[in-house]
Amino acid sequence: MANILFYIALFLIWIMLLYHMFLMQGGYRHFMTFERVIPEWEKNMVNLPTVSVFIPAHNEEVVIGQTLQAMSRLHYPKDKLEVIVINDNSSDRTGEIAGQFTAKYPFIRVIETEPPNKGKGKSSALNEALRKSSSDVIVVYDADNTPEKMSVWYLVMGLVNDPKAAAVVGKFRVINAAKTWLTRFINIETICFQWMAQGGRWKWFKVATIPGTNFAIRRSVVEELGGWDVKALAEDTELTIRVYNKGYHIRFFPKAITWEQEPETLKVWWKQRTRWARGNQYVVIKFLGQFLKLKRKRIIFDLFYFFFTYFLFFFGVILSNVLFIINLFYNLDLSIGNVAIALWVLAFLLFLAEVMITLSIEKAEMNRTNFFYVIFMYFTYSQMWIVLVVYSLYLEIKRVLFKQEVKWYKTERFAQKDKGGTK
């Protein structure tokens, strides 16, 4: 029995590793070709749509000034652009600082959330801005983001030139990547996510996921969907599934770049990633239960990806670890012995190859320091995710069983040097 369980664990782990190798190849191909369309696309950038940039902000005094400074530099006709800071029940100087920019830049304004949206989290804040705006296109940025000057231009360019796209998502980079060992890990993680999960899935399946920031979506689509789901902790993933179910697609266009802040301490990382994991688990449970009713079976790619990531893959890893530990103290008569060791070594080398090839896309990240961090990451950061996903699943099951209200956790911010907005 132990041997069968071990084989199941190895199968699940290797399926995920090989799938990510496949995605990595697609991401690299997308990187090599995605800019070729830009000269032709530029010719169609006439009669531009109106754009509203939504920035949900709850107690963001540390970062909101830097973010709005980047917004003031955006390359887009100002008579067709408005930046809306959604001040959501802040008790600090967020509104005051944002007000200083409204006095200087007529296209920037501040709105206050009102009941029932007040203080309920990001989805509710976005729904408030949706109700109080009327532009053709909605762009969303988190309050810690400093988008590069051309980011909104490129997001809109994707929509203008792809009529079947409901949304266009850009690329985000980590502004505080070199700050701590944790931010170095997160920087590697985000690069791999974008070029594997986003770039790879777009290249092979024409599927991408709306992130929490740096994306543009047509107002008509958001209104057709009834706005953002206020029960979803990962409102971006949940919106993605509904977009695909309506027959639209989401384009990954990494020419649109923003710089965002990542957690610098384990405490902040744990809370943020727990919210992400719970949010994605909520989406999987919600839509797998409705799978037979879904109109567009194409979204099985996204549902399968999240189901495999947050359920099957981690089950395989946990199972293999448990069997390994038990075998240290009690002989389980595992018959594969040296084969298991060889497969583990090969899995590690495959992980190392995947990550380093992906990092080579961002040339500045391909260095000796990151090579050693990737090795260290396999034995530390990757294992932390296992514990976190199990804990998140426990919280999500508890919420469902006891019908608990979803509580939004706002990520703690740290003061940073402005890196975006001018490119």
Side-chain angles (χ1 to χ4, degrees), residues 146-288:
T146 51
E148 294 188 359
K149 184 177 180 179
M150 299 296 293
S151 59
V152 169
W153 178 265
Y154 285 127
L155 290 174
V156 174
M157 181 187 291
L159 289 177
V160 168
N161 288 276
D162 188 352
K164 293 183 180 180
V168 173
V169 304
K171 181 177 72 172
F172 58 91
R173 295 299 314 277
V174 178
I175 196 170
N176 56 336
K179 206 70 177 287
T180 68
W181 62 270
L182 181 60
T183 57
R184 288 183 182 275
F185 285 156
I186 296 172
N187 181 49
I188 294 169
E189 176 190 36
T190 57
I191 292 172
C192 290
F193 164 75
Q194 288 174 103
W195 288 113
M196 287 185 189
Q198 295 283 61
R201 284 186 304 147
W202 172 254
K203 183 66 177 181
W204 297 129
F205 310 122
K206 291 298 177 280
V207 169
T209 301
I210 294 175
T213 187
N214 197 31
F215 71 91
I217 187 167
R218 301 183 196 276
R219 169 180 292 274
S220 58
V221 174
V222 179
E223 291 178 341
E224 181 183 358
L225 294 172
W228 280 266
D229 182 351
V230 297
K231 294 181 180 179
L233 287 172
E235 82 294 331
D236 41 11
T237 307
E238 193 278 338
L239 184 62
T240 296
I241 304 298
R242 288 192 288 143
V243 165
Y244 278 112
N245 194 40
K246 284 292 184 180
Y248 303 104
H249 69 254
I250 299 163
R251 174 177 286 274
F252 176 56
F253 190 41
K255 192 65 174 177
I257 303 171
T258 191
W259 293 82
E260 71 173 13
Q261 183 182 127
E262 295 292 348
E264 296 180 3
T265 66
L266 273 176
K267 181 181 178 181
V268 177
W269 176 87
W270 182 269
K271 289 183 177 180
Q272 184 195 61
R273 265 30 180 198
T274 297
R275 172 169 61 81
W276 289 7
R278 288 185 65 188
N280 286 317
Q281 288 162 351
Y282 165 84
V283 170
V284 171
I285 294 170
K286 173 181 176 179
F287 287 104
L288 278 182

Side-chain angles (χ1 to χ4, degrees), residues 61-180:
E61 65 178 3
V62 175
V63 293
I64 195 64
Q66 181 174 298
T67 296
L68 291 177
Q69 192 62 51
M71 297 296 163
S72 71
R73 308 177 190 131
L74 289 175
H75 175 77
Y76 202 82
K78 297 303 184 289
D79 61 328
K80 294 191 174 184
L81 174 71
E82 66 171 348
V83 176
I84 302 176
V85 179
I86 313 158
N87 191 23
D88 184 26
N89 203 33
S90 296
S91 58
D92 63 359
R93 297 180 58 242
T94 298
E96 176 189 340
I97 296 170
Q100 295 171 3
F101 284 85
T102 64
K104 189 175 181 180
Y105 302 99
F107 62 92
I108 298 178
R109 65 186 176 103
V110 180
I111 64 172
E112 302 286 338
T113 54
E114 301 173 359
N117 293 324
K118 188 172 184 178
K120 294 295 181 67
K122 185 176 179 180
S123 294
S124 295
L126 291 171
N127 285 334
E128 184 81 15
L130 180 66
R131 184 171 64 87
K132 295 181 177 178
S133 61
S134 59
S135 62
D136 302 315
V137 173
I138 295 166
V139 176
V140 177
Y141 284 107
D142 285 337
D144 65 318
N145 273 222
T146 51
E148 294 188 359
K149 184 177 180 179
M150 299 296 293
S151 59
V152 169
W153 178 265
Y154 285 127
L155 290 174
V156 174
M157 181 187 291
L159 289 177
V160 168
N161 288 276
D162 188 352
K164 293 183 180 180
V168 173
V169 304
K171 181 177 72 172
F172 58 91
R173 295 299 314 277
V174 178
I175 196 170
N176 56 336
K179 206 70 177 287
T180 68

Side-chain angles (χ1 to χ4, degrees), residues 15 29 42 118 131 158 161 182 203 207 245 262 277 298 304-306 321 326 346 348 359 380 386 391 393 401 405:
I15 284 292
R29 290 188 180 193
E42 284 281 6
K118 188 172 184 178
R131 184 171 64 87
N161 288 276
L182 181 60
K203 183 66 177 181
V207 169
N245 194 40
E262 295 292 348
R298 181 181 177 186
F304 174 77
Y305 179 79
F306 288 110
N321 288 347
I326 293 176
L346 285 173
F348 168 70
L359 287 181
T380 55
I386 297 171
Y391 174 69
L393 186 57
L401 291 177
E405 184 180 354

